């Protein structure tokens, strides 16, 4: 509707107002016009009112609506002091005033959304529920921008120990081309992940928890907990890796003399180094943990210092590479043939086999000397003798310093030369480094692709540079990948950013592009400036123990050494700071119960217990003591985290959930799937066994959360995926009825609740669980009598009661509660409408109406019979357990016994299938199966038994078969008498029920005084409408007339009519039951012949069944159908009672008319 409503605000004088508001005189005045659908906040509307020049103080406001015919005046218009008293009675929203408590005004909602810390992300978001009782401290508004808040933290976390300690080795081993490929693949993985992460991070506010929060809210608590735990483990092992890198720098390049364990034997050097790493790593871990425990603020203050160290170190690399083009640094490398030598093992520092030493001539004798200097002759000149001496290198290869010693064959046939370790940028050495040079553990590092002759087994006692591990392309990927992690640093600080939805994508992607450019350029620079044999020297043995990347730096190698040491220490501190907070976020979500203790911390929120666990796990990584072994472990955890970030983005994009509206628009599901594929490929390429272990850990955590974790509803994408999959499956099921081979009972279990909302027959659900064994569909339904508008709360309570009972019985299924005036109609509606599409029930399970003969309320058995008719009409199977309280519970397995099947008529094979399904459950597993069938006189019982055994053989069912012959016999006196008693009872109850309603009316009517006659009449009519037979049958065409008649009687009810009705009732009752004629009529009843025949069948069958199956654990029996004429309903109940008399547990089975079992495969 396009019309608008005009609100005119006109000022009035202040003296016209009552003294109710102290600041009323400060209001503005003017004319304001709003659209007809707008609502105005009281506190904001005053800002939109303009002040008229020269106007009086506006204290009273008049509202003119439309043509001015309606005029309302109120002192509370735009008056904030009156909100508490008149909040729900806003004149502009009077139509919605009754809903204001549950549906707030738009203005109130917008006020609450003003600050994201109070953000209401849903009707009942879990952040609100879990923050009850926590004191919210006022904090300064976030002011960090893109550069300081995202870009620099990402740089600090991405650049790390691998760049300084392993990138040169990766380039030398893989070659420039493959190294570029490794860096490019890893950077593409993180860039695609960053695009997906940016889409998720800009789809709403991301609180503390970063990647864990994004994954858990996008993929659900199970995936979130599993991947969050893996991300936590990855961050923890990253701390171990950084500490090990710092110790490696300390012990190898800064203070080698600080080593505690020293081995004189070359075979024990590696073990001694590992022990040193363990000792110093543990010491560093304790110190760093104490620093984090004392205060994170100190770590944050040092972060800028550590970042400066990283930047200075990288700049020194670029500067050194440029300087090397003009003035290469002097780092000579000693080569024996093509093999590099470890110069720090040559104590004399001589890179040669032998050296010439000049000897002094011997002194002359004294006399000869004096004579030779007489006269004018000059003293004689003697030539100095040169002597060839061996070097320390000779002693290593010949085990002796003698020239005549027997030396190594390779040593004798190859010369010792010196080459420049850093030829420089203009040397063209990149041509030699372009291709890979992988090696096995223990191989000698050789120059280029020209291998030396005599490549025999080499002893590690020679001063060669050996490969410490077997290298391959896949191994190098696993070792290098941690150097590109750390892209989540920006999203983890989303709460500190001024505009997180703008800063996170820009800062993260720029940081990845920057680091990728640095890594790719460093690969080219290292390959262009450094000799290949030096690049493959992991620990710098060939350059006198210097850090290889340090040899390229300018002005001194110490710039890189010191800078890398502090940067790795800073990265370790950041990991030890972030990992406990991530664990605390997981613990506070309460999705993994045994982690709940780690959600607690100090008074200021610091995660003390989480820090302790993090330190313990980090110590496990330090005990590994090898950077090359720890790096692939954390690569697995990070790759798994990134994989699920991409999966979350792709899933949300494909599902097109209404809440998926990211501000970052440069994403696509194909990019996310490509990133997910790269992550998965990198996991198995780098280390397939680590990948399997990481997946197993994540899978175990996932199943644990699913099985035992707290239930959370976060509106995640997995729920959306489940909905889409369910829709697809339901549409597929709708294409046609299920094949006989796929038929299984899809149950609708009808339960009855008592007045206290307790289930009357809980064993029905136990029986259903034994029959289903967790397979297929189970719907548990109940009908609550009453008006839906008034009993909605009772329906919710009943639903919760049924859900708790289902959890107790471990029944997987759905609950459906229907509120209706007539339970009989409610059951009919439930049978008709339960399920959805092809996922509908095909079997109804209901209890037997116990003590139906003694029950004063005939509706129980009438409802039972009506339900039988409804299921028959709907072509549904029906199961009625009789004596359900005697059925075994799930904790009472039957150790032996029989399940007897009495196959009287064919019902589609239900009687064959049900025992087979029951025996799949542990309660009935040890019971044997017996099948009885009935043969008449004209049947060949022997042939019937053979045919039945063959049929069961083809059905693959093991059972004992017996054919019971029933001979024709005369109707016994017992049968005749039983039928007569049944009909007499039915006639008597029918006549008594005709007057029961009138007697009830009289009793209720005379219990009150004359002033409440009208109210009593209304109550009486309501009672009779629920309890009488006549009202149950008011569904015909005359129902409306009768109800109209009741309304007329209600209006004209008087004492005279009450006396008259009482007299008529007494007369009618006496005429029926008190006169001898009434009894004589009942005694003269002759039983109907059809009833006699039916009773005869029931008696004979019962005799046979009790005789054969009196010791059976369970008897399954065909349930006969109800009579077509409703007049014989009571007789039908009597027939069923006679048929099952003397049997402890009976399951009456009525098929749905379709075949449910087949002999074909």
């Amino acid at each position: 509707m396009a019309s608008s409503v005009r609100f005119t605000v006109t000022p009035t004088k202040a003296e016209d107002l009552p003294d109710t508001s102290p600041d009323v005189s400060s209001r503005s005045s003017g004319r304001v016009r709003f659209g007809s659908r707008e609502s105005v906040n009281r506190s904001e509307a005053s800002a939109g009112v303009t002040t008229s020049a020269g106007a009086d103080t506006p204290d009273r406001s008049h509202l003119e609506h439309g043509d001015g015919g309606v005029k309302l005046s109120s002192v509370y218009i735009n008056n904030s002091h009156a909100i508490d008293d008149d909040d729900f009675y806003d004149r502009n929203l009077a139509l919605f005033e009754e809903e204001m408590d549950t549906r707030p005004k738009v203005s109130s909602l917008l006020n609450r959304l003003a600050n994201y810390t109070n953000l209401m992300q849903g009707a009942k978001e879990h952040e609100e529920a879990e923050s009850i009782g926590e004191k919210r401290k006022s904090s300064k508004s976030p002011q960090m921008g893109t550069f300081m808040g995202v870009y620099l933290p990402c740089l600090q976390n991405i650049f790390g120990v691998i760049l300084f300690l392993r990138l040169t080795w990766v380039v030398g081993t893989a070659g420039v081309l493959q190294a570029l490929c490794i860096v490019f693949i890893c950077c593409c993985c993180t860039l695609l992940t960053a695009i997906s992460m940016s889409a998720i991070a800009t789809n709403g506010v991301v609180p503390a928890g970063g990647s864990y929060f994004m994954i858990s809210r996008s993929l659900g608590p199970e995936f979130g907990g599993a991947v969050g735990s893996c991300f936590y483990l990855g961050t923890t092992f990253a701390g171990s890796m950084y500490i090990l890198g710092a110790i490696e720098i300390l012990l190898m390049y800064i203070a080698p003399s600080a080593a505690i364990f020293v081995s004189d034997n070359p075979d024990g050097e590696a073990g001694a180094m590992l022990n040193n790493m363990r000792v110093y790593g543990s010491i560093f871990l304790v110190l760093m943990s104490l620093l984090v425990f004392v205060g994170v603020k100190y770590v944050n203050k040092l972060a800028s210092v550590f970042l400066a160290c990283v930047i200075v170190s990288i700049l020194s690399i670029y500067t050194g590479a440029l300087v090397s083009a003009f003035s290469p640094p002097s780092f000579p490398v000693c080569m024996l043939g093509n093999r590099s030598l470890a110069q720090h093992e040559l104590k004399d520092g001589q890179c040669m086999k032998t050296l010439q030493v000049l000897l002094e001539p011997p002194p002359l004798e004294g006399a000869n000397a004096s004579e030779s200097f007489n006269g004018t002759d000059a003293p004689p000149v003697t030539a100095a003798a040169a002597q060839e001496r061996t070097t320390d290198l000779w002693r290593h290869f010949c085990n002796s310093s003698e020239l005549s010693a027997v030396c190594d064959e390779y040593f004798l046939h190859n010369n010792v030369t010196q080459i420049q370790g850093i030829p420089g940028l203009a040397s063209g050495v990149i041509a030699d480094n372009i291709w890979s040079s992988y090696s096995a553990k223990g191989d000698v590092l050789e120059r280029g692709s020209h291998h030396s002759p005599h490549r025999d087994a080499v002893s590690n006692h020679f001063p060669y540079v050996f490969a410490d591990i077997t290298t391959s392309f896949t191994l190098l990927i696993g070792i290098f990948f941690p150097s590109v992690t750390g892209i989540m640093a920006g999203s983890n600080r989303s709460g500190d950013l001024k505009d997180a939805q703008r800063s996170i994508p820009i800062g993260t992607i720029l940081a990845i592009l920057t680091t990728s450019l640095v890594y790719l350029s460093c690969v080219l620079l290292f390959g262009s400036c450094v000799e290949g044999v030096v690049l493959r020297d992991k620990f710098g043995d060939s350059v006198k123990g210097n850090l290889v990347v340090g040899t390229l730096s300018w002005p001194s190698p110490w710039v890189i050494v010191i800078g890398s040491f502090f940067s790795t220490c800073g990265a370790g501190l950041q990991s030890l700071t972030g990992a406990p907070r991530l664990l605390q976020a997981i613990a506070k979500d309460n999705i993994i119960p045994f982690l709940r203790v780690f959600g607690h911390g100090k008074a200021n929120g610091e995660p003390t217990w989480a820090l302790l666990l993090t330190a313990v796990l980090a110590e496990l990584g330090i005990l590994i003591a090898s950077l090359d072994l720890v790096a692939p472990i954390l690569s697995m955890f990070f790759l798994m985290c990134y994989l699920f970030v991409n999966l979350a983005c792709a899933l949300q994009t494909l599902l097109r959930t209404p809440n998926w509206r990211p501000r970052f628009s440069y994403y696509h599901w194909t990019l996310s799937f490509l990133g997910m594929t790269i992550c998965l490929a990198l996991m198995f390429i780098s280390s397939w066994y680590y990948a399997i272990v990481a997946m197993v850990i994540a899978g175990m955590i996932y199943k644990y959360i699913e099985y035992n974790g707290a239930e959370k509803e976060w509106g995640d994408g997995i729920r959306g995926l489940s909905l889409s999959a369910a829709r697809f499956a339901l549409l597929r099921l709708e294409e046609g009825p299920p094949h006989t081979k796929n038929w299984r009972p899809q149950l609708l279990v009808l339960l009855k609740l008592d007045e206290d909302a307790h289930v009357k027959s809980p064993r029905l659900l136990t029986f259903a669980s034994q029959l289903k064994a967790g397979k297929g569909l189970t719907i548990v339904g109940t009908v609550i009598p009453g008006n839906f508008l008034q009993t909605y709360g009772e329906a919710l309570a009943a639903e919760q009661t049924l859900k708790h009972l289902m959890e107790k019985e471990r029944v997987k299924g759905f609950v459906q509660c229907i509120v209706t005036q007539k339970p009989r109609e409610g059951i009919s509606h439930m049978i008709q409408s339960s399920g959805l599409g092809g996922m509908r029930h095909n079997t109804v399970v209901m209890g037997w109406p116990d003590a139906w003969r003694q029950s004063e309320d005939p509706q129980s058995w009438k409802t039972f019979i009506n339900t039988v008719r409804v299921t028959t009409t709907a072509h549904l199977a029906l199961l009625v357990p009789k004596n359900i309280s005697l059925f075994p519970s799930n904790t009472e397995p039957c150790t032996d016994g029989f399940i007897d099947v009495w196959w009287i008529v064919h019902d589609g094979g239900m009687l064959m299938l049900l025992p087979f399904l029951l025996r799949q459950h542990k309660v009935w597993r040890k019971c044997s199966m017996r099948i009885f069938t009935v043969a008449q006189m004209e049947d060949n019982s022997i042939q019937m038994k053979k045919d039945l055994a063959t049929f069961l053989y083809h059905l693959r069912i093991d059972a004992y078969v017996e054919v019971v012959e029933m001979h024709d016999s005369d109707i016994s006196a017992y049968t005749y008498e039983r039928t007569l008693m049944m009909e007499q009872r039915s006639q008597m109850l029918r006549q008594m029920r005709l007057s029961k309603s009138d007697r009830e009316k009289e009793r209720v009517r005379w219990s009150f005084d004359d002033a409440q006659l009208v109210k009593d009449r209304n109550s009486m009519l309501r009672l009779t409408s629920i309890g009488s037979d006549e009202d149950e049958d008011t569904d015909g065409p005359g129902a409306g007339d009768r109800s109209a008649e009741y309304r007329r009687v209600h209006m004209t009810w008087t004492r005279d009519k009450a006396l008259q009705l009482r007299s008529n009732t007494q007369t009618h009752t006496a005429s029926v039951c008190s006169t001898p004629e009434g009894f004589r009529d009942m005694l003269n009843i002759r039983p109907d012949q059809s009833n006699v025949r039916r009773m005869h069948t029931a008696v004979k069958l019962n005799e046979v069944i009790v005789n054969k199956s009196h010791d059976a654990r369970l008897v399954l029996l065909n349930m006969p159908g109800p009579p077509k004429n409703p007049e014989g309903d009571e007789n039908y109940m009597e027939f069923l009672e006679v048929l099952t008399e003397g049997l402890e547990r009976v399951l009456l089975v009525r098929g749905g008319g379709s075949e449910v079992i087949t002999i074909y495969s």
Side-chain angles (χ1 to χ4, degrees), residues 386-398:
Q387 184 179 1
E388 186 178 14
R389 290 187 179 179
T390 58
T391 60
D392 192 52
L393 182 62
W394 181 281
R395 286 191 291 271
H396 275 92
F397 282 93
C398 301

Side-chain angles (χ1 to χ4, degrees), residues 479-499:
I479 292 176
F480 175 76
F481 187 81
S483 64
V484 297
T485 59
I487 62 175
M488 302 290 185
S491 63
N492 291 343
R493 298 171 177 237
S494 59
D496 300 328
L497 300 175
K498 186 186 302 182
D499 187 1

Side-chain angles (χ1 to χ4, degrees), residues 116 141-147 149-150 198 201-202 204-206 490-491 493-508 663-664:
Y116 85 93
S141 59
Q143 296 295 330
M144 298 184 72
T146 303
F147 186 75
V150 180
S198 299
T202 57
V205 178
V206 180
S491 63
R493 298 171 177 237
S494 59
D496 300 328
L497 300 175
K498 186 186 302 182
D499 187 1
Q501 298 193 356
R502 178 180 177 272
S503 298
I504 289 178
I506 296 176
T508 305
R663 291 187 179 275
F664 180 79

Side-chain angles (χ1 to χ4, degrees), residues 115-135:
N115 189 350
Y116 85 93
T117 55
N118 295 325
L119 185 64
M120 186 173 63
Q121 297 182 1
K124 194 67 177 176
E125 185 65 21
H126 86 287
E127 280 81 4
E128 287 187 1
E130 293 175 357
S131 62
I132 295 176
E134 296 182 3
K135 299 179 180 178

Side-chain angles (χ1 to χ4, degrees), residues 96-154:
F96 303 96
E97 61 187 14
E98 294 184 357
E99 299 180 344
M100 290 294 184
D101 53 345
T102 58
R103 302 178 184 181
K105 292 188 298 182
V106 175
S107 56
S108 304
L109 179 67
L110 294 177
N111 278 337
R112 270 183 276 175
L113 297 182
N115 189 350
Y116 85 93
T117 55
N118 295 325
L119 185 64
M120 186 173 63
Q121 297 182 1
K124 194 67 177 176
E125 185 65 21
H126 86 287
E127 280 81 4
E128 287 187 1
E130 293 175 357
S131 62
I132 295 176
E134 296 182 3
K135 299 179 180 178
R136 297 182 178 269
K137 299 181 180 179
S138 60
S139 58
K140 296 184 294 184
S141 59
Q143 296 295 330
M144 298 184 72
T146 303
F147 186 75
M148 293 297 296
V150 180
Y151 182 73
L152 290 182
C154 283

Side-chain angles (χ1 to χ4, degrees), residues 348 350 352-357 387-405 407 411:
D348 57 2
Q350 298 297 328
M352 57 185 68
K353 297 181 180 180
T354 60
L355 53 91
Q356 300 292 328
V357 178
Q387 184 179 1
E388 186 178 14
R389 290 187 179 179
T390 58
T391 60
D392 192 52
L393 182 62
W394 181 281
R395 286 191 291 271
H396 275 92
F397 282 93
C398 301
N399 293 325
S400 173
S401 58
E402 299 295 330
L403 289 172
S404 59
C407 299
F411 180 75

Side-chain angles (χ1 to χ4, degrees), residues 1037-1059:
D1041 298 337
R1042 284 195 296 273
S1043 61
E1045 181 182 354
Y1046 282 149
R1047 285 195 295 270
R1048 289 195 300 271
V1049 171
H1050 170 77
M1051 296 301 296
T1052 60
W1053 188 256
T1054 62
R1055 175 182 288 274
D1056 295 337
K1057 291 190 176 183
L1059 293 172

